[in-house]
Amino acid sequence: DTAVSQTPKYLVTQMGNDKSIKCEQNLGHDTMYWYKQDSKKFLKIMFSYNNKELIINETVPNRFSPKSPDKAHLNLHINSLELGDSAVYFCASSQDVGGAEKLFFGSGTQLSVL
Amino acid sequence: GNSVTQMEGPVTLSEEAFLTINCTYTATGYPSLFWYVQYPGEGLQLLLKATKADDKGSNKGFEATYRKETTSFHLEKGSVQVSDSAVYFCALTTPNDYKLSFGAGTTVTVRA
């Protein structure tokens, strides 16, 4: 069983569209994250949720809206997609807040905005 | 704030060569230090970590020593294999930071 699974793996869409990426973890972890990886492999945190509550929002445009229906799921909805949103988005989870605990990553969603 | 600077790649090596990837950091507070590895088409995986000065993290033949005096956590492997081809990320967190801060990643390619 995949510990952290995210769908879809690839997402190609037009500018201005709205899209969602789903993430689920079956590890029983309390904390989930979204990271964005740009074309140069630079990885930057976007959001962190602990037990369904937002604890980190790193100056992400409000076109990005995370939703956590329960602590095993953290979905990412993006409105009015722009060219600069093209990247690989990684979901991750950890047992506790802070990242000092090991992070488990999904395999990524490659978003291409045309 | 917290930041990590790591050696720019890409790095290309022959099998059995020695690998070093430099990593230095700045941190507010006492950091824990990590190396993560990303194999092609996959998410990141924890490779090793160290939580206090002079600790050595090791895994799969890789080692890194937490050097507080030089604020460094360089990754080394004595004899690389083709299967070590990946992107390597240095990262840190500090108490009450609630997240990992990553370096820019170093792409390593090992040729047979």
Side-chain angles (χ1 to χ4, degrees):
Chain A
D1 280 345
T2 303
V4 181
S5 59
Q6 51 183 112
T7 55
K9 189 168 177 63
Y10 301 98
L11 185 52
V12 181
T13 188
Q14 300 287 330
M15 265 194 334
N17 284 351
D18 303 339
K19 290 293 179 185
S20 292
I21 306 172
K22 295 186 176 181
C23 179
E24 175 181 5
Q25 54 96 2
N26 63 6
L27 298 166
H29 288 167
D30 287 340
T31 308
M32 296 185 72
Y33 311 79
W34 278 107
Y35 279 85
K36 179 180 179 181
Q37 185 177 46
D38 64 23
S39 59
K40 296 184 179 180
K41 302 293 186 184
F42 188 72
L43 204 65
K44 186 173 171 60
I45 191 165
M46 301 173 68
F47 300 104
S48 171
Y49 270 72
N50 180 255
N51 271 320
K52 303 192 298 176
E53 292 195 15
L54 179 68
I55 55 172
I56 293 176
N57 180 343
E58 288 280 311
T59 61
V60 177
N62 58 15
R63 297 183 296 104
F64 291 78
S65 52
K67 287 193 170 45
S68 183
D70 55 62
K71 73 174 191 176
H73 295 83
L74 181 62
N75 303 322
L76 184 64
H77 189 75
I78 315 170
N79 289 328
S80 303
L81 278 155
E82 300 177 356
L83 294 176
D85 297 333
S86 296
V88 182
Y89 292 84
F90 286 99
C91 178
S93 72
S94 65
Q95 179 59 56
D96 292 313
V97 169
E101 295 289 330
K102 181 177 173 179
L103 260 64
F104 290 78
F105 282 81
S107 57
T109 296
Q110 185 164 336
L111 172 63
S112 299
V113 182
L114 306 177
Chain B
N2 295 338
S3 68
V4 177
T5 302
Q6 64 180 98
M7 189 173 90
E8 284 193 28
V11 174
T12 302
L13 302 163
S14 298
E15 246 184 340
E16 300 183 4
F18 184 86
L19 171 67
T20 299
I21 304 175
N22 290 341
C23 171
T24 57
Y25 65 88
T26 58
T28 52
Y30 201 106
S32 295
L33 303 173
F34 306 82
W35 278 99
Y36 277 77
V37 59
Q38 182 181 22
Y39 298 106
E42 299 183 11
L44 281 72
Q45 306 172 25
L46 179 65
L47 181 59
L48 53 85
K49 73 176 192 179
T51 58
K52 61 183 190 295
D54 299 325
D55 270 1
K56 179 185 282 188
S58 61
N59 186 23
K60 299 182 180 180
F62 290 89
E63 293 183 339
T65 301
Y66 188 143
R67 301 284 186 204
K68 190 165 182 245
E69 64 276 13
T70 54
T71 61
S72 65
F73 192 54
H74 304 321
L75 183 69
E76 296 182 337
K77 185 172 185 180
S79 177
V80 293
Q81 305 300 313
V82 172
S83 57
D84 293 325
S85 298
V87 184
Y88 293 83
F89 293 88
C90 188
L92 70 83
T93 190
T94 49
N96 301 319
D97 190 20
Y98 304 126
K99 67 181 184 293
L100 274 180
S101 296
F102 287 90
T106 301
T107 300
V108 173
T109 302
V110 180
R111 294 186 173 162

